[in-house]
Amino acid sequence: MSFEPDILGFACNWCGYAGADGAGQAKLKYPANIKIIRVMCLGRVDAAFMLRAFEKGYDGVALIGCHIGDCHYISGNKNAVDVVKNVKQILDTMGLNGARLRLEEVSSAEGPKFAAVVTSFRQELIGLGPNPLKAAASHG
């Protein structure tokens, strides 16, 4: 039985989500097991949202947004960098492995990069194995 990771993606409206849209329009292949939540800016993604995703059993969480310096809200993605760093430390402390959380810079014109990022993240998560909280999440 092979493990297929469940991935939750937060994608900023202006770049990350547009990059995903571009990948779809170009019919690029990337794993279908990413569920994307469109947000106006990654700076609005609270640490609690990320932690809750792991509690609910997601194997990985990806934040995909504008390149640093290109944020439509000036410093939203810079704030997201700090939040992700802190959440990775929490995940490591909990024994979940901070590598299950990824922050990527993908512009609206980088559909191929979006596909590559999701594909490589999926491969990394396969190596890490299932989220240890997944069994508890499915029973509660």
Side-chain angles (χ1 to χ4, degrees), residues 45-53 87:
V45 181
D46 192 88
F49 300 160
M50 297 174 225
L51 293 170
R52 181 79 170 150
V87 173

Side-chain angles (χ1 to χ4, degrees), residues 28-109:
L28 300 174
K29 288 190 159 217
Y30 63 87
N33 50 326
I34 183 168
K35 293 176 182 81
I36 298 176
I37 297 173
R38 179 191 231 170
V39 295
M40 291 309 289
C41 179
L42 294 184
R44 299 293 297 170
V45 181
D46 192 88
F49 300 160
M50 297 174 225
L51 293 170
R52 181 79 170 150
F54 290 109
E55 181 184 355
K56 287 290 192 181
Y58 281 95
D59 300 298
V61 175
L63 279 76
I64 305 166
C66 303
H67 288 272
I68 298 296
D70 288 338
C71 179
H72 284 68
Y73 300 100
I74 302 169
S75 62
N77 55 2
K78 290 178 186 173
N79 295 338
V81 168
D82 294 334
V83 173
V84 166
K85 180 181 168 193
N86 291 333
V87 173
K88 281 178 170 272
Q89 290 175 341
I90 292 168
L91 293 173
D92 286 337
T93 301
M94 293 173 59
L96 289 178
N97 194 333
R100 292 184 182 277
L101 177 61
R102 185 181 277 196
L103 175 65
E104 292 286 345
E105 299 173 16
V106 175
S107 79
S108 59

